[in-house]
Amino acid sequence: ALTATDYSEHAIERQVDLVSYQYPEDAVELRCMDAREMDESWTDRFDVILEKGALDAIYLSGDGNLELTAKEFERILKPGGIL
């Protein structure tokens, strides 16, 4: 299964529309959430995190947000996981 997140509710709504054309309803989980504070139940959940530009935007926001996100990615990746 694939899990995708975005900070923007509008982006998630758009992805729901796009995904529904190509995949069964339960094939992709789309969640609106902040990468700096992911779901607590996700600790050691993912084998791979595929990041496409989010870290660039987070870095540019400053205020230690990149570091917070990196810690979250480390938490939710399984040991030996790939970013």
Side-chain angles (χ1 to χ4, degrees):
L2 178 67
T3 302
T5 66
D6 198 291
Y7 185 75
S8 165
E9 185 67 42
H10 177 73
I12 293 297
E13 290 170 3
R14 177 72 177 127
Q15 289 303 312
V16 167
D17 291 340
L18 293 172
V19 167
S20 69
Y21 289 111
Q22 295 183 13
Y23 301 99
E25 185 175 324
D26 61 348
V28 180
E29 178 184 2
L30 297 165
R31 300 275 302 269
C32 183
M33 71 174 55
D34 189 327
R36 299 169 300 174
E37 191 175 345
M38 301 290 222
D39 192 310
E40 283 299 319
S41 69
W42 286 6
T43 299
D44 295 334
R45 177 176 174 177
F46 298 99
D47 296 307
V48 175
I49 294 176
L50 179 61
E51 183 278 324
K52 188 182 134 309
L55 289 178
D56 291 335
I58 292 167
Y59 170 75
L60 292 173
S61 71
D63 296 328
N65 291 319
L66 181 63
E67 292 79 4
L68 291 170
T69 302
K71 285 180 183 179
E72 280 298 275
F73 282 4
E74 181 179 25
R75 180 181 67 79
I76 67 174
L77 271 174
K78 291 180 181 176
I82 299 169
L83 172 61

